[in-house]
Amino acid sequence: MKMILKLAAVAAIAFSANSANAVTCIGTCGTLAPNGVVIAPPSGGPNYEYVSTAGGVAGAGQISGIAGGTNGSQLTTDLFTAAVGDPLNFFFNFVTSDGAGFSDYGFAELLDSTNTSVGFLFTARTVPSGNTSPGFNLPANISTLSPLTSPIVGGGPAWSALGSDSGRCFSSGCGYTGWIQSTYEFASAGSYKIRFGTTNTTDTIFNSGLAFSGLTVKGEPVPTGAVPEPAAWMMMLLGMGAIGYSLRRKKPVALAQFA
Protein backbone atom coordinates (compact mmCIF):
# COMPACT_ATOMS: atom_id res chain seq x y z
CA MET A 1 0.00 0.00 0.00
CA LYS A 2 2.84 2.41 0.82
CA MET A 3 4.37 1.73 -2.58
CA ILE A 4 1.04 2.44 -4.30
CA LEU A 5 0.70 5.72 -2.44
CA LYS A 6 4.22 6.72 -3.43
CA LEU A 7 3.52 5.95 -7.08
CA ALA A 8 0.26 7.88 -6.90
CA ALA A 9 2.21 10.82 -5.53
CA VAL A 10 4.56 10.66 -8.51
CA ALA A 11 1.59 10.81 -10.86
CA ALA A 12 0.10 13.70 -8.89
CA ILE A 13 3.37 15.61 -9.07
CA ALA A 14 3.47 15.10 -12.83
CA PHE A 15 -0.12 16.35 -13.16
CA SER A 16 0.71 19.31 -10.94
CA ALA A 17 3.69 20.20 -13.10
CA ASN A 18 1.43 20.19 -16.13
CA SER A 19 -1.21 22.28 -14.33
CA ALA A 20 1.36 24.91 -13.42
CA ASN A 21 0.87 26.47 -16.84
CA ALA A 22 -0.90 29.72 -15.98
CA VAL A 23 -2.71 30.17 -19.29
CA THR A 24 -6.38 30.62 -18.34
CA CYS A 25 -9.63 30.59 -20.28
CA ILE A 26 -13.04 31.81 -19.19
CA GLY A 27 -15.84 30.92 -21.58
CA THR A 28 -15.08 29.51 -25.02
CA CYS A 29 -11.46 29.30 -26.19
CA GLY A 30 -9.82 26.90 -28.57
CA THR A 31 -7.63 26.12 -31.55
CA LEU A 32 -8.92 25.82 -35.09
CA ALA A 33 -7.60 24.96 -38.52
CA PRO A 34 -8.42 27.38 -41.35
CA ASN A 35 -12.13 27.33 -42.09
CA GLY A 36 -14.71 29.69 -43.52
CA VAL A 37 -13.61 33.32 -43.66
CA VAL A 38 -10.67 32.77 -41.28
CA ILE A 39 -7.84 31.48 -43.43
CA ALA A 40 -4.36 30.45 -42.25
CA PRO A 41 -2.63 33.35 -40.47
CA PRO A 42 0.52 34.96 -41.91
CA SER A 43 2.53 33.73 -38.91
CA GLY A 44 2.20 30.89 -36.41
CA GLY A 45 -0.18 28.90 -38.60
CA PRO A 46 -1.77 27.14 -40.23
CA ASN A 47 -3.80 26.72 -37.03
CA TYR A 48 -4.72 29.64 -34.81
CA GLU A 49 -6.39 30.25 -31.45
CA TYR A 50 -9.66 32.00 -30.78
CA VAL A 51 -12.17 33.24 -28.23
CA SER A 52 -15.88 33.42 -29.03
CA THR A 53 -19.10 34.68 -27.49
CA ALA A 54 -20.74 31.38 -28.55
CA GLY A 55 -21.02 29.59 -25.21
CA GLY A 56 -19.63 32.66 -23.47
CA VAL A 57 -19.86 33.44 -19.76
CA ALA A 58 -21.66 36.42 -18.24
CA GLY A 59 -19.20 39.23 -17.58
CA ALA A 60 -16.24 37.64 -19.38
CA GLY A 61 -14.35 39.23 -22.25
CA GLN A 62 -15.30 42.77 -21.28
CA ILE A 63 -13.45 46.06 -20.93
CA SER A 64 -13.94 47.71 -17.55
CA GLY A 65 -16.12 50.81 -17.76
CA ILE A 66 -17.66 49.95 -21.15
CA ALA A 67 -21.42 49.56 -20.75
CA GLY A 68 -23.63 47.00 -22.45
CA GLY A 69 -21.52 43.84 -22.27
CA THR A 70 -23.47 40.66 -21.58
CA ASN A 71 -21.63 37.37 -22.14
CA GLY A 72 -18.25 36.65 -23.64
CA SER A 73 -14.95 34.81 -23.39
CA GLN A 74 -11.35 35.61 -22.59
CA LEU A 75 -7.95 33.91 -22.69
CA THR A 76 -5.05 35.20 -20.62
CA THR A 77 -1.51 34.10 -21.42
CA ASP A 78 1.08 32.97 -18.92
CA LEU A 79 3.56 35.58 -17.65
CA PHE A 80 6.47 36.37 -19.95
CA THR A 81 9.40 38.73 -19.56
CA ALA A 82 10.41 41.64 -21.77
CA ALA A 83 13.22 44.19 -21.81
CA VAL A 84 12.98 47.82 -22.85
CA GLY A 85 12.57 48.02 -26.61
CA ASP A 86 11.64 44.37 -27.10
CA PRO A 87 9.06 44.01 -29.89
CA LEU A 88 5.73 42.24 -29.26
CA ASN A 89 4.03 40.92 -32.39
CA PHE A 90 0.93 38.93 -33.25
CA PHE A 91 -1.91 38.77 -35.78
CA PHE A 92 -5.64 39.07 -35.07
CA ASN A 93 -8.88 38.75 -37.01
CA PHE A 94 -12.16 40.08 -35.57
CA VAL A 95 -15.31 38.32 -36.80
CA THR A 96 -18.92 39.27 -36.06
CA SER A 97 -22.34 38.10 -37.19
CA ASP A 98 -24.03 40.92 -35.23
CA GLY A 99 -22.69 43.91 -37.14
CA ALA A 100 -23.19 47.46 -35.94
CA GLY A 101 -26.68 46.75 -34.65
CA PHE A 102 -25.45 45.70 -31.21
CA SER A 103 -21.74 46.52 -31.61
CA ASP A 104 -19.95 43.51 -30.15
CA TYR A 105 -16.22 44.02 -29.65
CA GLY A 106 -12.87 42.27 -29.22
CA PHE A 107 -9.52 43.33 -27.79
CA ALA A 108 -6.06 42.41 -26.56
CA GLU A 109 -5.07 43.99 -23.24
CA LEU A 110 -1.49 44.13 -21.97
CA LEU A 111 -1.24 43.48 -18.21
CA ASP A 112 1.72 43.61 -15.85
CA SER A 113 2.54 40.97 -13.23
CA THR A 114 0.07 42.55 -10.77
CA ASN A 115 -2.76 42.39 -13.35
CA THR A 116 -2.65 46.17 -13.75
CA SER A 117 -3.55 47.27 -17.27
CA VAL A 118 -0.66 48.75 -19.27
CA GLY A 119 -3.03 49.52 -22.15
CA PHE A 120 -4.94 47.94 -25.00
CA LEU A 121 -2.79 46.65 -27.81
CA PHE A 122 -5.89 46.92 -29.96
CA THR A 123 -9.64 47.20 -29.68
CA ALA A 124 -12.03 46.21 -32.49
CA ARG A 125 -15.69 47.11 -32.88
CA THR A 126 -17.56 46.95 -36.12
CA VAL A 127 -19.24 49.92 -37.78
CA PRO A 128 -21.35 50.10 -40.97
CA SER A 129 -18.33 51.61 -42.76
CA GLY A 130 -14.83 52.76 -41.83
CA ASN A 131 -12.16 51.33 -39.56
CA THR A 132 -12.99 48.61 -37.07
CA SER A 133 -9.90 49.28 -34.95
CA PRO A 134 -9.61 51.12 -32.68
CA GLY A 135 -13.23 50.43 -31.83
CA PHE A 136 -15.51 53.41 -31.41
CA ASN A 137 -16.07 54.42 -27.77
CA LEU A 138 -13.33 51.95 -26.79
CA PRO A 139 -9.77 52.62 -25.51
CA ALA A 140 -7.18 53.68 -28.07
CA ASN A 141 -4.64 51.22 -29.45
CA ILE A 142 -1.14 51.32 -27.96
CA SER A 143 0.22 49.13 -30.75
CA THR A 144 0.75 49.89 -34.42
CA LEU A 145 -1.45 47.98 -36.83
CA SER A 146 -0.59 46.76 -40.31
CA PRO A 147 -2.46 47.50 -42.46
CA LEU A 148 -3.24 50.86 -40.86
CA THR A 149 -6.85 50.70 -42.03
CA SER A 150 -9.26 48.01 -40.83
CA PRO A 151 -12.57 48.09 -42.69
CA ILE A 152 -14.89 45.14 -42.23
CA VAL A 153 -15.22 42.64 -45.08
CA GLY A 154 -19.01 42.55 -45.19
CA GLY A 155 -21.46 39.67 -45.30
CA GLY A 156 -22.56 36.90 -42.96
CA PRO A 157 -19.22 35.35 -41.92
CA ALA A 158 -19.01 31.57 -42.18
CA TRP A 159 -16.79 30.47 -39.27
CA SER A 160 -17.32 27.45 -37.05
CA ALA A 161 -16.31 29.36 -33.89
CA LEU A 162 -19.55 31.34 -34.18
CA GLY A 163 -21.57 28.20 -33.56
CA SER A 164 -25.12 28.31 -34.92
CA ASP A 165 -24.58 31.92 -36.05
CA SER A 166 -21.95 30.95 -38.61
CA GLY A 167 -22.97 32.48 -41.94
CA ARG A 168 -25.61 34.73 -40.38
CA CYS A 169 -25.79 38.54 -40.42
CA PHE A 170 -27.96 40.71 -38.20
CA SER A 171 -27.17 44.16 -39.59
CA SER A 172 -24.71 46.18 -41.64
CA GLY A 173 -21.16 45.86 -40.40
CA CYS A 174 -21.26 42.10 -39.98
CA GLY A 175 -18.25 40.31 -41.41
CA TYR A 176 -14.56 40.05 -40.60
CA THR A 177 -11.42 42.20 -40.65
CA GLY A 178 -9.02 39.69 -42.13
CA TRP A 179 -5.63 39.18 -40.50
CA ILE A 180 -4.13 42.36 -39.03
CA GLN A 181 -0.66 42.58 -37.48
CA SER A 182 -0.20 44.26 -34.10
CA THR A 183 3.31 45.52 -33.19
CA TYR A 184 4.33 47.05 -29.86
CA GLU A 185 7.66 47.95 -28.21
CA PHE A 186 7.96 47.67 -24.44
CA ALA A 187 8.73 50.93 -22.67
CA SER A 188 9.64 49.23 -19.39
CA ALA A 189 11.30 45.95 -18.52
CA GLY A 190 9.25 43.48 -16.52
CA SER A 191 6.85 40.55 -16.55
CA TYR A 192 3.64 40.78 -18.54
CA LYS A 193 0.64 38.83 -19.79
CA ILE A 194 -1.99 39.46 -22.46
CA ARG A 195 -5.76 39.10 -22.14
CA PHE A 196 -7.61 38.39 -25.38
CA GLY A 197 -11.36 38.94 -25.12
CA THR A 198 -14.62 39.33 -26.98
CA THR A 199 -18.14 40.08 -25.76
CA ASN A 200 -21.72 40.39 -26.93
CA THR A 201 -23.28 43.79 -26.39
CA THR A 202 -26.86 44.27 -25.13
CA ASP A 203 -28.00 40.82 -26.31
CA THR A 204 -26.59 37.29 -26.21
CA ILE A 205 -27.28 36.25 -29.81
CA PHE A 206 -25.56 36.76 -33.18
CA ASN A 207 -22.15 35.82 -31.89
CA SER A 208 -18.75 37.38 -32.47
CA GLY A 209 -15.23 36.07 -32.07
CA LEU A 210 -11.56 36.90 -32.20
CA ALA A 211 -8.87 34.78 -33.85
CA PHE A 212 -5.20 35.36 -33.03
CA SER A 213 -1.87 33.78 -33.90
CA GLY A 214 1.91 34.21 -33.98
CA LEU A 215 2.35 35.85 -30.57
CA THR A 216 6.07 36.52 -30.05
CA VAL A 217 8.33 38.71 -27.92
CA LYS A 218 11.65 39.50 -29.58
CA GLY A 219 10.89 36.67 -31.99
CA GLU A 220 10.32 34.08 -29.24
CA PRO A 221 6.86 32.47 -29.08
CA VAL A 222 4.64 33.23 -26.07
CA PRO A 223 2.46 30.26 -25.00
CA THR A 224 -1.23 30.99 -25.48
CA GLY A 225 -2.61 27.49 -24.95
CA ALA A 226 -2.44 25.14 -21.94
CA VAL A 227 -0.36 22.53 -23.77
CA PRO A 228 1.10 19.81 -21.50
CA GLU A 229 4.87 19.57 -21.40
CA PRO A 230 6.03 16.18 -22.79
CA ALA A 231 8.11 15.50 -19.68
CA ALA A 232 5.16 16.08 -17.38
CA TRP A 233 2.93 13.75 -19.42
CA MET A 234 5.67 11.10 -19.45
CA MET A 235 6.06 11.25 -15.67
CA MET A 236 2.32 10.94 -15.16
CA LEU A 237 1.99 8.03 -17.60
CA LEU A 238 4.92 6.19 -16.04
CA GLY A 239 3.50 6.75 -12.57
CA MET A 240 0.03 5.52 -13.53
CA GLY A 241 1.53 2.55 -15.37
CA ALA A 242 3.53 1.59 -12.30
CA ILE A 243 0.41 1.86 -10.14
CA GLY A 244 -1.47 -0.45 -12.49
CA TYR A 245 1.35 -2.97 -12.53
CA SER A 246 1.63 -2.91 -8.75
CA LEU A 247 -2.11 -3.47 -8.34
CA ARG A 248 -2.00 -6.44 -10.69
CA ARG A 249 0.85 -7.96 -8.69
CA LYS A 250 -0.95 -7.36 -5.39
CA LYS A 251 -4.31 -8.78 -6.52
CA PRO A 252 -3.56 -12.54 -6.03
CA VAL A 253 -2.27 -11.86 -2.53
CA ALA A 254 -5.43 -9.98 -1.63
CA LEU A 255 -7.59 -12.83 -2.95
CA ALA A 256 -5.61 -15.38 -0.98
CA GLN A 257 -6.24 -13.49 2.22
CA PHE A 258 -10.01 -13.82 1.73
CA ALA A 259 -9.91 -17.45 0.47
Side-chain angles (χ1 to χ4, degrees):
M1 179 59 73
K2 288 182 179 180
M3 179 60 69
I4 294 174
L5 291 175
K6 287 180 180 179
L7 292 171
V10 170
I13 291 170
F15 182 78
S16 176
N18 173 53
S19 302
N21 191 323
V23 176
T24 60
C25 171
I26 301 175
T28 301
C29 314
T31 301
L32 283 173
N35 71 78
V37 300
V38 182
I39 61 175
S43 177
N47 294 349
Y48 53 85
E49 293 185 82
Y50 73 92
V51 289
S52 174
T53 62
V57 173
Q62 297 183 19
I63 296 175
S64 177
I66 303 299
T70 54
N71 69 313
S73 300
Q74 62 188 50
L75 182 147
T76 305
T77 70
D78 200 351
L79 279 173
F80 57 88
T81 59
V84 175
D86 280 353
L88 168 67
N89 290 284
F90 64 89
F91 289 85
F92 72 89
N93 191 343
F94 179 64
V95 186
T96 177
S97 67
D98 219 339
F102 286 91
S103 301
D104 301 345
Y105 63 81
F107 62 88
E109 182 182 18
L110 183 63
L111 306 168
D112 67 17
S113 59
T114 66
N115 286 324
T116 300
S117 179
V118 176
F120 288 84
L121 296 163
F122 78 87
T123 59
R125 198 174 205 177
T126 190
V127 288
S129 63
N131 289 332
T132 300
S133 183
F136 71 95
N137 291 331
L138 297 179
N141 298 341
I142 63 172
S143 70
T144 300
L145 303 186
S146 179
L148 294 174
T149 57
S150 54
I152 204 82
V153 180
W159 188 37
S160 62
L162 299 178
S164 60
D165 289 325
S166 176
R168 302 178 70 194
C169 178
F170 177 72
S171 68
S172 59
C174 65
Y176 63 102
T177 60
W179 289 106
I180 297 173
Q181 185 176 26
S182 168
T183 301
Y184 172 79
E185 285 192 0
F186 288 93
S188 301
S191 296
Y192 300 91
K193 62 179 73 173
I194 299 174
R195 181 172 72 109
F196 293 93
T198 186
T199 188
N200 277 317
T201 300
T202 307
D203 64 2
T204 58
I205 56 176
F206 286 94
N207 290 302
S208 297
L210 178 69
F212 51 95
S213 179
L215 179 61
T216 62
V217 173
K218 203 176 180 180
E220 294 297 324
V222 175
T224 52
V227 180
E229 294 183 4
W233 273 117
M234 184 60 68
M235 285 179 64
M236 183 168 65
L237 289 173
L238 288 173
M240 294 303 293
I243 291 172
Y245 179 75
S246 178
L247 286 174
R248 285 201 305 166
R249 292 292 302 271
K250 293 286 185 180
K251 187 174 181 181
V253 176
L255 290 175
Q257 289 176 346
F258 290 95

